[in-house]
Amino acid sequence: MKYDYLIVGSGLFGSICAYELKKKGFKILVIEKRDHLAGNIYTEDSNGINVHKYGAHIFHTNNKKVWDYINNFAEFNRFTNSPIANYKGKLYNLPFNMNTFYQLWGVKTPKEAQAKIEEQKKLYHIENPKNLEEQAISLIGKDIYEILIKGYTEKQWGRKATDLPPFIINRLPVRFTFDNNYFNDKYQGIPIGGYTQVIEKMLDSVEIRLNTNFFDDRQTYLNIANKIIYTGPIDQFYDYKYGTLEYRSLHFENETINEPNFQGNAVVNYTEFDIPYTRIIEHKHFDYVDTKHTIITKEYPKDWKIGDEAYYPINDDKNAKLYEKYKKIADNEKQIYFGGRLAEYKYYDMHHVIEKALNFTNKLA
Ligand SMILES: Cc1cc2nc3c(=O)[nH]c(=O)nc-3n(C[C@H](O)[C@H](O)[C@H](O)COP(=O)(O)OP(=O)(O)OC[C@H]3O[C@@H](n4cnc5c(N)ncnc54)[C@H](O)[C@@H]3O)c2cc1C
């Protein structure tokens, strides 16, 4: 065996494992099927603007240990996510807060806003919501549902809200303060210089092979290292023998525009159904850079099939049961560990991935 650990995938999970295990003195090889490092947090410098190639990534956490850890690899700016919603040309602040309530109904005090929401909820007596539409209306009333939730959600999931299960929306947080900060977390920001350099630092002295797919030479890779950390899709590892785990995918359309400021905000959601994209990202606002041009990305949700980029796992009963079948055999593997969003079939934010990877590598002797 040439290596102690083979790590399949150079995303955040694989790269933290590589960094931590290297520190412990192990010999590591990282293979990555893409032509670049960093998995889905990859950012690419395009004439001074860091473009988030796999969707906007905003780092946020309440965990001081995780925050301190990631700050070892980059300095973070003070970016605060304050998305705007555009519905039929009118703008609303998100998340739902006093600014939104004022824009919707002209109410100026928390008491007035609370009364308005209660009045809206009471218009429909929904005791046991049977679908997402009923669930949302029972939680927040019709105005917010129709203007800010319905179209966006239907585009995101590719199904009518009345055909979606209620559990997708368990809670709809509302804030009775004039506060547009999307996240409640204590720490938030974007690494100055982008995310790719964070991963480059983690993998600084690690042997890496790009454009290298584990499945192109599976047997060789199984024989090359004592242990394998696999961060790709778990069902693919087992040749989809029980069936395929389902995802929603995204299509990104990038555009360079010859003006310094297109929409005045990093994230604008388009909440009406008739506009086919869910949001426009203007990357330069993540970094506060001063350039004469700007780059925007329109994000179109789409169905997923094997071969497409897998973005959001579909956490329904069918997929949960299928995942459990794969997990059962994976748990009995002696040589192979499964970790990260694809191998665990779970939507993880970056801070979850860091916590998971650190706990995991701590246990490895
Ligand atoms: C649209 C979108 C927006 C997001 N925004 C945020 C955000 O704002 N804030 C936040 O905290 N989190 C966000 N996330 C979550 C974040 O992207 C993940 O937490 C993180 O990327 C997971 O890292 P990972 O290493 O588990 O997976 P990945 O980044 O997917 O890494 C897996 C790697 O394995 C490689 N690989 C797979 N199979 C093979 C193979 N057979 N051979 C070789 N290599 C292989 C892949 O190419 C990939 O590079 C977002 C996710 C999405 C989908």
Side-chain angles (χ1 to χ4, degrees):
M1 293 288 184
K2 217 172 150 220
Y3 299 95
D4 298 309
Y5 284 92
L6 167 73
I7 298 177
V8 181
S10 67
L12 189 57
F13 189 89
S15 300
I16 293 175
C17 290
Y19 179 79
E20 292 299 320
L21 292 171
K22 176 96 192 169
K23 249 188 355 196
K24 290 186 187 211
F26 291 113
K27 193 153 188 251
I28 317 283
L29 172 66
V30 174
I31 60 169
E32 169 55 60
K33 69 176 182 182
R34 295 178 182 167
D35 63 0
H36 61 76
L37 298 173
N40 278 9
I41 66 171
Y42 176 66
T43 47
E44 190 174 86
D45 183 341
S46 182
N47 294 324
I49 297 174
N50 284 310
V51 177
H52 297 217
K53 290 297 243 193
Y54 298 87
H57 277 75
I58 299 138
F59 195 91
H60 58 99
T61 184
N62 256 329
N63 185 330
K64 173 139 179 25
K65 211 176 123 200
V66 165
W67 180 244
D68 289 344
Y69 183 80
I70 198 69
N71 274 267
N72 287 322
F73 301 96
E75 188 186 341
F76 277 67
N77 69 19
R78 58 153 189 87
F79 181 80
T80 304
N81 191 25
S82 314
I84 302 277
N86 180 322
Y87 179 77
K88 301 195 171 170
K90 221 179 148 209
L91 302 182
Y92 300 88
N93 288 107
L94 296 173
F96 312 136
N97 71 78
M98 284 305 296
N99 290 308
T100 331
F101 307 140
Y102 176 69
Q103 289 147 355
L104 279 162
W105 304 309
V107 291
K108 294 184 186 123
T109 65
K111 210 184 269 172
E112 285 171 348
Q114 269 155 348
K116 188 75 193 170
I117 289 174
E118 284 313 309
E119 175 197 308
Q120 286 258 315
K121 279 160 66 173
K122 275 196 202 123
L123 280 177
Y124 301 84
H125 301 282
I126 302 172
E127 299 266 302
N128 292 310
K130 288 188 291 303
N131 54 48
L132 186 142
E133 174 163 302
E134 291 186 0
Q135 173 83 333
I137 293 173
S138 73
L139 288 170
I140 200 109
K142 195 136 185 161
D143 285 359
I144 293 184
Y145 167 67
E146 289 205 325
I147 294 174
L148 299 172
I149 298 172
K150 184 174 191 287
Y152 189 90
T153 311
E154 291 184 338
K155 288 189 281 189
Q156 198 174 24
W157 291 101
R159 280 155 73 182
K160 291 234 163 297
T162 45
D163 294 334
L164 285 165
F167 74 81
I168 292 182
I169 297 183
N170 275 331
R171 264 169 9 100
L172 279 172
V174 288
R175 230 181 247 160
F176 294 98
T177 50
F178 291 90
D179 177 4
N180 298 325
N181 178 358
Y182 195 79
F183 299 114
N184 288 318
D185 290 340
K186 236 193 251 173
Y187 311 103
Q188 186 175 176
I190 306 274
I192 296 168
Y195 287 94
T196 306
Q197 41 123 26
V198 169
I199 298 293
E200 280 167 356
K201 277 188 199 144
M202 288 175 179
L203 298 179
D204 189 25
S205 55
V206 173
E207 189 178 336
I208 307 159
R209 294 185 200 162
L210 294 178
N211 301 303
T212 304
N213 191 327
F214 175 78
F215 298 110
D216 286 347
D217 205 352
R218 185 184 183 123
Q219 208 45 54
T220 303
Y221 292 120
L222 288 173
N223 292 331
I224 213 174
N226 287 324
K227 299 272 181 198
I228 292 165
I229 298 172
Y230 173 83
T231 74
I234 189 166
D235 51 353
Q236 185 178 18
F237 189 87
Y238 292 111
D239 294 325
Y240 306 101
K241 68 176 178 184
Y242 297 134
T244 309
L245 290 164
E246 294 169 309
Y247 287 89
R248 281 292 282 168
S249 193
L250 293 169
H251 163 70
F252 298 111
E253 238 174 60
N254 297 326
E255 212 179 308
T256 300
I257 298 173
N258 260 339
E259 52 182 275
N261 191 359
F262 173 75
Q263 63 184 16
N265 205 41
V267 183
V268 178
N269 290 359
Y270 284 78
T271 56
E272 66 190 272
F273 186 78
D274 290 339
I275 292 182
Y277 42 87
T278 42
R279 49 186 194 166
I280 297 183
I281 307 299
E282 188 170 10
H283 300 269
K284 71 188 300 181
H285 296 306
F286 288 126
D287 296 332
Y288 311 97
V289 288
D290 186 13
T291 52
K292 289 203 174 80
H293 72 299
T294 190
I295 300 174
I296 61 162
T297 301
K298 289 179 180 155
E299 209 171 287
Y300 298 80
K302 63 171 194 140
D303 288 336
W304 173 88
K305 58 181 181 334
I306 293 176
D308 293 343
E309 287 299 340
Y311 285 106
Y312 298 107
I314 303 203
N315 295 118
D316 58 11
D317 263 9
K318 184 180 137 204
N319 286 296
K321 283 192 185 122
L322 187 53
Y323 170 67
E324 279 311 313
K325 279 173 114 173
Y326 285 117
K327 185 174 180 315
K328 212 165 153 194
I329 37 171
D331 285 347
N332 285 322
E333 298 281 0
K334 300 274 179 287
Q335 191 199 3
I336 301 147
Y337 300 103
F338 294 79
R341 66 178 197 104
L342 295 164
E344 296 180 61
Y345 190 61
K346 224 184 184 120
Y347 178 85
Y348 281 136
D349 270 330
M350 292 179 277
H351 62 100
H352 296 125
V353 171
I354 295 173
E355 206 179 331
K356 284 258 166 190
L358 290 178
N359 288 340
F360 169 67
T361 49
N362 268 341
K363 286 191 210 127
L364 297 178

